[in-house]
Amino acid sequence: MSKKYLKYLFESHKVAWFFFGILYFLLVMIFDGQSSTGLLVVFPDFRPECAFHLGIAGTYILPFFLFAFVHEKKACDQMFALPLSRKKLLATSLVFAFLVLACYFTVTVSFIWVRWKMNFISLLEVLGIYYVCIVVMLCVNSFFYLLGNNLLDGVVMTISYSLFPLVLLLALSAALNQIIAGTGEIQGLNSLINYLSPFSLCESLFSNLSSHSDSFGISLSWFLVLAGEWLCACFGLKKEFIERKTERAENISDNKLAYPLVVHVYLAVVMIGVASMVIHSSISECLPTLIVLFVVYIIAMFVYKRKIQITVKLLARFAICALACFGFIYAGFYTKGFHQAEKFSLHQGKYIVYYYDDFSRNDEPHFTLTIPVDEKKKYQEVLDLMENYRKENIDLYYQDIHDQWALNSQGWLNWKVMDSNDEMNQNQYQYNGRSINTGRPLTKEELAVIGKYTKVETVMN
């Protein structure tokens, strides 16, 4: 690290650093104690996540200022000609950004600590996890920014890579909820996507700490994945900054991890979301959306190459992507969600819960059936009935690809496995929870069997 360059970075924008520090402090104070549902365990009347999020936002902004010179030919030649190694230049810039954000947070939270007389150990824990998070986020966001060869592309790369886990989650959720019968959270999907996003991991770690969660194993796995992403970012910074060729400045961003990859990966992910619409409509109804997506694809390629170009190769790539994604959706539908639709673990939690509501009759019978997992044999009769009914409705879902099953729906069925039979307990863990519209109502005979094990209530319409 270069002390002289560190001093230069501070003194060159001294007024700005003080201004933003005061602004940071005031913004946190504005939100002090304004939430009645926030994470208020560590700080009785203070939302630590407010100060945390402002600091994380800084990890996106500071790299734009500290590394802007690499995207301008004249500035790039001047900075890399300094009697200072690139390694020192990179390390000093990152250390400076860390010190600025750490100082803002430490001063603000220390003021809160004095004001509310908080536990000193809790204060150290909050500071420690914050420092870890901004170190990781600064390296990751700096790497994303340096993937571009000009200012605009650097910003686009940062936004694209940061939002990709969210876009992937939305697309896969839309697709899987169409090809897997019923609606509900796809088990493991959120956790998988969470591991792809450094921001989400930092958010999870900080929330876990603030709420004093006991899930140490989960926190440790998040921390280890975060450490792995930091190492990857450091390796990327070595390639994109220390070994960077100065002639890249102001050129097209044709890096292997830049536009060519980003544009086509986003195209494939969004195409999966579009293709999922065809399950309960038709290809002709999806055509306008496909046309819009193609126009966006052409615009993205224009931003990449700085010229509008519609070639046979471009059309072929779009067509191949569409065929592959639509093929994936149809294959998933006709294999019942790749054989995942009927899977329902009857022993994963402590209680199996079925909720049924029949709105095809005037009396609208409904019930909640709770079966203790360790007493399944006592409930075998009704358990078999509900499982057969659940599988019957899943089969009906896949019989008609055009949503007729939903238009003719006779009711609603929900099934899940819980760790507690307390419906008011919002913190209980839920497994395999899904809901489906029913193709036929339960008969009086079936309701009579269910009535032996739980109360079947009616509401006159």
Side-chain angles (χ1 to χ4, degrees):
M1 191 180 73
S2 170
K3 292 182 180 179
K4 290 183 179 180
Y5 187 60
L6 186 68
K7 185 178 179 181
Y8 162 76
L9 288 174
F10 174 73
E11 293 185 346
S12 60
H13 297 91
K14 189 190 308 184
V15 176
W17 306 135
F18 280 115
F19 170 76
F20 286 117
I22 294 171
L23 182 64
Y24 179 97
F25 181 83
L26 292 176
L27 284 173
V28 173
M29 291 302 103
I30 288 173
F31 290 104
D32 181 15
Q34 296 300 310
S35 173
S36 60
T37 58
L39 301 174
L40 307 176
V41 178
V42 177
F43 304 104
D45 294 286
F46 171 62
R47 296 196 300 171
E49 64 269 23
C50 173
F52 174 79
H53 288 150
L54 286 176
I56 293 296
T59 66
Y60 287 89
I61 298 170
L62 284 178
F64 296 164
F65 292 100
L66 297 175
F67 300 111
F69 65 87
V70 302
H71 297 318
E72 300 177 18
K73 286 185 178 180
K74 188 176 180 180
C76 184
D77 291 335
Q78 288 177 343
M79 292 299 292
F80 284 152
L82 291 174
L84 190 66
S85 70
R86 292 190 182 187
K87 190 174 181 180
K88 284 188 176 182
L89 199 62
L90 174 64
T92 305
S93 299
L94 293 174
V95 167
F96 174 77
F98 171 80
L99 291 175
V100 169
L101 297 175
C103 183
Y104 290 169
F105 187 84
T106 304
V107 171
T108 303
V109 174
S110 295
F111 175 82
I112 301 299
W113 174 69
V114 172
R115 180 182 175 185
W116 294 111
K117 298 178 181 179
M118 299 177 303
N119 186 297
F120 184 66
I121 301 300
S122 297
L123 174 65
L124 293 180
E125 289 176 347
V126 168
L127 292 176
I129 198 66
Y130 174 78
Y131 296 156
V132 169
C133 289
I134 60 172
V135 165
V136 174
M137 292 301 296
L138 278 171
C139 291
V140 169
N141 290 330
S142 297
F143 168 61
F144 291 158
Y145 181 64
L146 292 170
L147 286 173
N149 290 343
N150 53 73
L151 180 62
L152 173 63
D153 292 348
V155 174
V156 171
M157 288 300 108
T158 304
I159 295 173
S160 298
Y161 274 96
S162 299
L163 292 180
F164 177 72
L166 176 61
V167 175
L168 182 62
L169 175 63
L170 294 175
L172 288 180
S173 295
L176 293 177
N177 273 313
Q178 293 295 333
I179 65 178
I180 299 177
T183 58
E185 182 179 324
I186 308 300
Q187 192 174 11
L189 181 60
N190 285 351
S191 298
L192 175 63
I193 301 301
N194 189 46
Y195 285 126
L196 297 178
S197 172
F199 169 77
S200 182
L201 286 172
C202 289
E203 173 83 13
S204 299
L205 278 170
F206 195 82
S207 297
N208 214 26
L209 171 67
S210 300
S211 60
H212 281 179
S213 174
D214 295 328
S215 51
F216 175 76
I218 296 177
S219 296
L220 180 61
S221 67
W222 288 337
F223 181 80
L224 291 175
V225 173
L226 202 60
E229 291 175 345
W230 174 74
L231 290 173
C232 291
C234 290
F235 178 77
L237 287 172
K238 178 177 179 292
K239 293 289 184 182
E240 298 300 323
F241 188 87
I242 297 175
E243 300 174 4
R244 190 184 191 90
K245 294 180 180 180
T246 55
E247 55 266 27
R248 283 176 56 180
E250 298 183 10
N251 280 330
I252 292 175
S253 301
D254 54 0
N255 188 315
K256 290 181 179 180
L257 295 176
Y259 275 123
L261 177 67
V262 168
V263 170
H264 290 99
V265 167
Y266 262 85
L267 174 64
V269 170
V270 176
M271 186 71 77
I272 287 176
V274 173
S276 66
M277 296 165 55
V278 79
I279 295 301
H280 297 303
S281 58
S282 64
I283 294 179
S284 61
E285 292 177 12
C286 294
L287 192 57
T289 308
L290 283 174
I291 293 172
V292 171
L293 183 58
F294 179 71
V295 172
V296 173
Y297 175 57
I298 296 299
I299 293 172
M301 295 304 289
F302 164 72
V303 174
Y304 161 40
K305 295 186 176 181
R306 301 298 192 267
K307 60 180 179 181
I308 294 180
Q309 207 175 27
I310 302 178
T311 63
V312 175
K313 192 175 182 180
L314 207 65
L315 292 170
R317 285 176 178 172
F318 186 85
I320 291 171
C321 181
L323 288 172
C325 292
F326 276 83
F328 169 79
I329 294 297
Y330 275 109
F333 186 84
Y334 286 114
T335 57
K336 293 188 176 181
F338 301 108
H339 308 292
Q340 296 299 309
E342 292 181 347
K343 284 189 175 180
F344 178 43
S345 175
L346 299 176
H347 53 77
Q348 194 167 6
K350 295 180 180 179
Y351 296 91
I352 305 166
V353 182
Y354 297 95
Y355 177 81
Y356 173 77
D357 189 7
D358 179 1
F359 41 77
S360 66
R361 291 186 264 189
N362 289 332
D363 55 352
E364 293 191 6
H366 63 274
F367 62 82
T368 300
L369 174 64
T370 303
I371 301 174
V373 171
D374 55 1
E375 298 179 16
K376 281 190 299 183
K377 290 183 179 180
K378 295 180 181 179
Y379 294 82
Q380 197 63 51
E381 179 187 22
V382 72
L383 181 60
D384 290 341
L385 187 156
M386 292 307 301
E387 278 299 284
N388 290 332
Y389 184 64
R390 180 180 69 86
K391 291 176 182 178
E392 177 187 340
N393 283 287
I394 289 173
D395 290 337
L396 288 173
Y397 178 89
Y398 291 105
Q399 282 180 8
D400 190 346
I401 199 170
H402 292 304
D403 206 25
Q404 292 304 310
W405 68 276
L407 295 176
N408 299 322
S409 176
Q410 302 295 307
W412 185 70
L413 175 67
N414 171 266
W415 63 90
K416 55 192 173 184
V417 179
M418 310 293 288
D419 277 342
S420 168
N421 64 346
D422 180 8
E423 290 293 328
M424 302 303 293
N425 181 9
Q426 299 298 318
N427 295 321
Q428 61 183 326
Y429 198 81
Q430 174 178 317
Y431 309 88
N432 301 314
R434 294 192 74 76
S435 304
I436 194 171
N437 289 344
T438 57
R440 73 162 181 87
L442 286 167
T443 64
K444 290 182 178 180
E445 292 75 14
E446 289 171 325
L447 289 174
V449 173
I450 294 166
K452 298 177 185 177
Y453 300 90
T454 189
K455 184 178 180 182
V456 178
E457 298 179 333
T458 58
V459 178
M460 294 303 296
N461 189 358

